[in-house]
Amino acid sequence: QLAALFLDADPWTLGAEEVRTVRFDQAQVDRLAAWLLPRIVSPARARVAFVLAGQETVESRASLALPLSRWLNLAASGRVRVEGGRLAMHGLHLRLGRVVMPQPLADLLAPLLAAGISAERPLRPLLAAIRELHVEPGAVRVSYGRVAAPRGPLAELLWGGQR
């Protein structure tokens, strides 16, 4: 079911002015994360979960493997938007283990984190194609246009090779 949704949503096959909108519910996001994350990072090194809380808010939890069979738990939440290919993050809350980052520091880090994510080579062409991304309670809706770049490794995973 998820594979069919992605095959029908391939942004490399759209016309120059064509825009498509897809909606992923929480269960689909969970399946996508369960399928995609082990292809990016070993489950023995990291585990990640996302919650679509609504009001443009995404929550994420991660556990990162440390030496000596220990794990570091991370939690982040905040309002996330993408409009016209630009990622914005606001109201960021971060926790590393038991330490909660002071809100003024988190507020300073939010635009830097958004810029860092936006600068990631595999994500740049995908973000540039996104017209709007809206998080609703238990779902995310994405409107996007044609990707004007060669397929990279992330696209190869999601949509396969050239068609």
Side-chain angles (χ1 to χ4, degrees):
Q1 175 195 24
L2 196 57
L5 180 61
F6 269 100
L7 288 177
D8 292 341
D10 186 341
W12 277 267
T13 62
L14 297 179
E17 299 300 317
E18 191 175 352
V19 175
R20 193 164 289 157
T21 300
V22 294
R23 183 181 182 277
F24 298 99
D25 63 28
Q26 183 68 59
Q28 290 171 316
V29 169
D30 293 343
R31 284 195 302 274
L32 176 61
W35 176 80
L36 185 60
L37 289 170
R39 287 160 173 78
I40 297 171
V41 62
S42 166
R45 303 277 314 138
R47 297 182 184 118
V48 180
F50 300 97
V51 175
L52 304 170
Q55 306 295 336
E56 308 301 335
T57 300
V58 175
E59 299 171 1
S60 64
R61 294 177 308 279
S63 294
L64 305 176
L66 299 174
L68 304 173
S69 300
R70 298 190 51 102
W71 290 81
L72 174 62
N73 294 321
L74 308 167
S77 66
R79 292 184 312 279
V80 177
R81 290 193 53 101
V82 178
E83 288 189 14
R86 296 182 52 98
L87 174 65
M89 302 172 92
H90 303 282
L92 189 63
H93 300 280
L94 297 169
R95 184 175 45 80
L96 293 108
R98 294 181 186 152
V99 177
V100 176
M101 181 174 291
Q103 195 58 51
L105 182 56
D107 290 342
L108 286 173
L109 282 178
L112 297 174
L113 182 59
I117 292 169
S118 298
E120 284 295 314
R121 183 170 297 204
L123 297 178
R124 281 191 303 231
L126 296 176
L127 281 173
I130 295 175
R131 305 295 196 267
E132 291 183 313
L133 178 141
H134 294 286
V135 179
E136 308 161 359
V140 61
R141 186 172 27 89
V142 183
S143 296
Y144 59 93
R146 180 175 178 79
V147 172
R151 291 179 190 261
L154 181 60
E156 295 281 334
L157 280 173
L158 293 173
W159 293 283
Q162 298 287 343
R163 293 189 202 184

